[in-house]
Amino acid sequence: MSLEDWDRHIVWHAFTQMAEYEPLIIDSAVGCVLRDVEGREYLDAVSSLWCNVHGHRHPRLDAAIREQLDKVAHVTLLGASNTTTIRLAKRLIDLAPQGLEHVFFSDDGATAVEVALKMAFQYWHQRPDPRPQKNTYVALASAYHGDTIGAVSVGGVDRFHTMFRPLLFDVLRLPAPDLYRLPPGVTRDGALAHYLGTVERLLAEEHEQIAALVIEPLVQCAAGMIVHPPGYLAGVRRLTRKYDVLLIADEVAVGFGRTGTLLACEQENVSPDLLCLAKGLTGGYLPLAATLATDEIWRAFLGTYAESKTFFHGHTYGGNPLGAAVALASLEVFEEEQTLVNLRPKIARLSEHLARIATLPQVGDTRQCGLIGAIELVRNRDRREPYPWEEKWGLRVCDAARARGVLMRPLGNVLVIMPPLSITLAELDRIAKVVEAAIVDVTERRAAT
Ligand code: PLP
């Protein structure tokens, strides 16, 4: 048996139909280039699933982990601490929107969300003026917040979540503020008012039972890179304050520079009550997540042990010091390399490429927020008619791109360009040209059959 056989038959890959899986076995990487066991090279257009920030094997990040290894690899945060994780907590508070003053560490995006949901629930039970009837959540249609049961409950991607419906708690659902598929009678110009109207109506009616509204700021990534109308996030913050509903911002995917600012919330001057961070927190090196909370929430959990106000939740590796060390180093690299300033020309270049790709006949829409680019393939452009997902158009194009040396992962019919922020302009050009050629190749092949 070869490694490839073991990979095909023993390793159970996430979100992968194992009966159809074609192994891709990476052996090493440097910068934005991954190399497989056969020596073939691929540009990483998916940032190793939206988490790599400064490239692979960045010397500063590698060194930070090595230095931490010489101190200690892991210490529990259950009733104990370590120097590195404390420093990271302080650093996160310094860079987060004002009002977020406490950090609960876990290890993945889903756990960061799970923590936020449970904190919000318990907060309403324990605050000085308790309102335990506020025990329901509001989430957006097509939302994705991770794969644990709480995160799946607030999730709304039918194809992933329907199977688990009997296990989930009920959630109040808002339409996703989608600008490509607008409801009948709503124009692009009227979209913001329309979608905020749906939020206000729901909150006005149901706020007595709502603990929190959970949202991905600016872009719903796994939903297919649905870019929200500017002003939507700020509007949601205004309405959640008006109706006394906590706001949970899930920046697991959009955080750490992807949208052009370090955090997406900054762009609309929004400070949520709970903020979830993961993925890019460690520069994409190690699993680490954080849920930031306001002082008001934190204070509701204080009391004697006997009062049972403790947050009884934790993960063995939450706040792991190796992860914290590389997270601190990643934040330093943001400053030293002026990552966000250097991103501007890349964002502009991505826009140029998307504008060109948007003219292809099978491309219904292109969307962009910062260095997140999306290309939606459609069966019929005029009717905005999607391809049936079973036909796997997105996967087929990504396979064609892979054969040309660019690694991508689609969201159904939506192709995603989301490379590490350290991508060079030349590499970005190559990714865009390969994607374009792959779309033409795959869709014209279809036309010919
Ligand atoms: N939240 C958002 C917005 C995500 O995009 C993801 C993962 O893609 C998660 C949560 C879950 O993160 P993880 O896969 O680290 O559990």
Side-chain angles (χ1 to χ4, degrees), residues 181-356:
R181 293 195 172 82
L182 288 160
V186 179
T187 61
R188 255 183 109 92
D189 286 346
L192 177 63
H194 167 79
Y195 286 122
L196 285 179
T198 65
V199 180
E200 174 128 38
R201 277 192 296 283
L202 182 71
L203 296 191
E205 248 171 58
E206 307 285 356
H207 66 97
E208 298 285 0
Q209 56 151 329
I210 301 172
L213 183 153
V214 55
I215 187 172
E216 265 189 276
L218 307 189
V219 193
Q220 279 175 256
C221 292
M225 299 300 169
I226 299 176
V227 179
H228 296 173
Y232 182 76
L233 179 66
V236 167
R237 174 68 287 192
R238 181 175 51 75
L239 292 168
T240 47
R241 280 206 204 288
K242 179 172 169 188
Y243 291 101
D244 217 3
V245 164
L246 297 178
L247 179 65
I248 301 174
D250 176 355
E251 292 226 19
V252 168
V254 295
F256 300 100
R258 300 273 166 214
T259 67
T261 45
L262 192 67
L263 296 177
C265 280
E266 289 170 34
Q267 295 191 27
E268 302 212 351
N269 237 329
V270 159
S271 184
D273 300 288
L274 292 154
L275 173 70
C276 306
L277 303 172
K279 286 194 186 277
L281 170 59
T282 60
Y285 265 54
L286 286 169
L288 183 72
T291 306
L292 277 60
T294 60
D295 197 50
E296 186 180 331
I297 292 176
W298 153 278
R299 274 188 281 107
F301 289 74
L302 301 180
T304 63
Y305 195 70
E307 284 177 275
S308 254
K309 288 183 169 179
T310 309
F311 188 50
F312 288 114
H313 183 112
H315 300 274
T316 303
Y317 287 102
N320 169 266
L322 290 171
V326 72
L328 278 167
S330 170
L331 291 168
E332 279 161 22
V333 171
F334 264 101
E335 284 180 12
E336 288 164 11
E337 297 187 358
Q338 292 287 290
T339 305
L340 295 174
V341 174
N342 291 328
L343 207 53
R344 289 180 205 146
K346 303 176 196 181
I347 292 171
R349 185 66 65 86
L350 179 60
S351 303
E352 289 168 24
H353 287 303
L354 289 175
R356 192 182 64 253

Side-chain angles (χ1 to χ4, degrees), residues 49-50 108-111 113 144-146 216 221-222 250 252-253 278-279:
L49 231 292
W50 313 347
D108 273 296
T111 56
V113 171
Y144 178 80
H145 297 288
E216 265 189 276
C221 292
D250 176 355
V252 168
K279 286 194 186 277

Side-chain angles (χ1 to χ4, degrees), residues 38 52 65 133 141 243 252 278 284 293 342 446:
E38 309 289 338
N52 191 282
I65 295 175
Q133 71 281 12
Y243 291 101
V252 168
N342 291 328
R446 177 189 190 246

